[in-house]
Amino acid sequence: MTAGTSAIFTQAIALEKADPEHFDLAFTAVTQPCPWPKAYGGDLVAAAAAAAMRSVTDGKTLHSMHSYFLRPADIGAQVRYEVELLRDGRGYSTRQVRGYQNGKPLYVCLANFAAGEPGGSFQAAFTEGLPDPETLPSSAEYLAGRSGGTMTGESKAYWSAGRSFDMRHVPGPVYLSVEGERVPHQAVWLKPFDALRPVEGLTDAQRDLAALAYMCDYTILEPILRVLDLPWAQPGLVTASLDHAMWFHREAPVDDWLLYVQEAVAADAGRGLGTGRFFTRDQRHLATVAQEGMIRPA
């Protein structure tokens, strides 16, 4: 099986400048390969974050994004990200980013930036007692020799090595069946398969913020699937990201294991809401995520 590489992520946020058609600035990016009918939603979030960050030149740091997924994106195709400079103040700046493909908007977000100032500090508690990532099987190790449901060779390769990050689940994964108890929570250890490459137009710190935005969408709905006993390979299962919010609390290099602690909040009427928190291995709380998705069983 092909070894995993983090280049898939950095290619997703490699933006080219373009002439704006709607707002103040424009960039283009190409969605990355995946074995589904539509592109991965994290491609759009991360590329939009990169476009917004490239529009802020006074040193402010991205601290929140609020997104809607309007239409599915074609795979391996160009998306145009138009950036509107809504406000630049001394302490905060705000951008709107819209992604267009085939002449139609398919993604929209508001992104806010902060200069930062002295204040008190608090963070959510780190989840203690979890197995170390080195003791857990990688996705490739877990899937070796396994088959079932709607899994194909292509989807197996993608889950194993095609997502830029090594992912190790606690309890076990929900690829072919729901491993472990049907509980509304899980944790995932994540680490780039190899060192993240430089990205033109972004500092390494900005690239690492975009990495959090990119990887968060892969597993955020899984606690909902877990509690509903719906593995990814369940015949007839259809999921899609609907809306997304993310808050960035602290910066840290994305070069070691991160712990992504997730919880199902609600599921009804074909939708589910999940939340997640990213921690470094030394227990710093980096970011918080909330996302609602469509969950349509067979």
Side-chain angles (χ1 to χ4, degrees), residues 46-288:
M53 286 189 284
R54 288 182 60 167
S55 76
V56 176
T57 58
D58 60 1
K60 295 189 185 77
T61 300
L62 178 66
H63 78 83
S64 68
M65 294 181 69
H66 299 267
S67 307
Y68 280 90
F69 301 88
L70 308 179
R71 294 179 174 87
D74 294 335
I75 298 168
Q78 189 179 89
V79 177
R80 170 185 291 271
Y81 295 92
E82 297 258 354
V83 183
E84 183 178 14
L85 312 183
L86 289 179
R87 178 178 182 268
D88 280 305
R90 286 185 298 175
Y92 294 88
S93 293
T94 305
R95 302 291 187 258
Q96 179 184 203
V97 183
R98 289 190 189 180
Y100 294 87
Q101 194 178 72
N102 302 319
K104 296 180 179 180
L106 51 78
Y107 170 87
V108 61
C109 82
L110 289 174
N112 217 45
F113 295 78
E117 57 190 274
S121 182
F122 171 80
Q123 66 174 32
F126 185 82
T127 302
E128 302 281 0
L130 296 178
D132 291 334
E134 294 86 356
T135 68
L136 298 169
S138 67
S139 296
E141 291 167 339
Y142 174 82
L143 289 168
R146 295 176 185 255
S147 61
T150 61
M151 187 178 73
T152 63
E154 188 181 11
S155 61
K156 184 175 183 177
Y158 182 73
W159 283 331
S160 297
R163 301 188 291 181
S164 287
F165 296 89
D166 188 346
M167 302 183 190
R168 306 189 178 197
H169 286 71
V170 185
V174 294
Y175 299 129
L176 303 176
S177 62
V178 175
E179 293 286 317
E181 297 180 63
R182 280 32 170 187
V183 292
H185 53 80
Q186 69 174 23
V188 183
W189 288 102
L190 305 108
K191 182 182 178 181
F193 282 121
D194 51 16
L196 296 182
R197 292 146 180 80
V199 176
E200 184 177 354
L202 299 179
T203 66
D204 287 353
Q206 290 173 325
R207 176 206 61 201
D208 291 351
L209 288 177
L212 295 178
Y214 179 83
M215 70 175 83
C216 73
D217 189 29
Y218 276 126
T219 57
I220 189 64
L221 297 182
E222 287 186 350
I224 305 163
L225 299 182
R226 186 179 295 279
V227 76
L228 296 178
D229 196 19
L230 293 171
W232 286 116
Q234 177 84 16
L237 175 67
V238 179
T239 66
S241 301
L242 297 175
D243 56 90
H244 169 98
M246 191 164 189
W247 297 266
F248 303 90
H249 312 305
R250 297 168 182 85
E251 293 183 353
V254 179
D255 58 2
D256 196 0
W257 289 106
L258 298 177
L259 182 64
Y260 191 14
V261 181
Q262 304 164 337
E263 183 176 4
V265 176
D268 204 0
R271 301 186 311 277
L273 177 67
T275 61
R277 301 188 302 276
F278 281 101
F279 294 88
T280 62
R281 198 165 186 176
D282 60 2
Q283 305 189 9
R284 285 180 292 162
H285 181 195
L286 300 185
T288 301

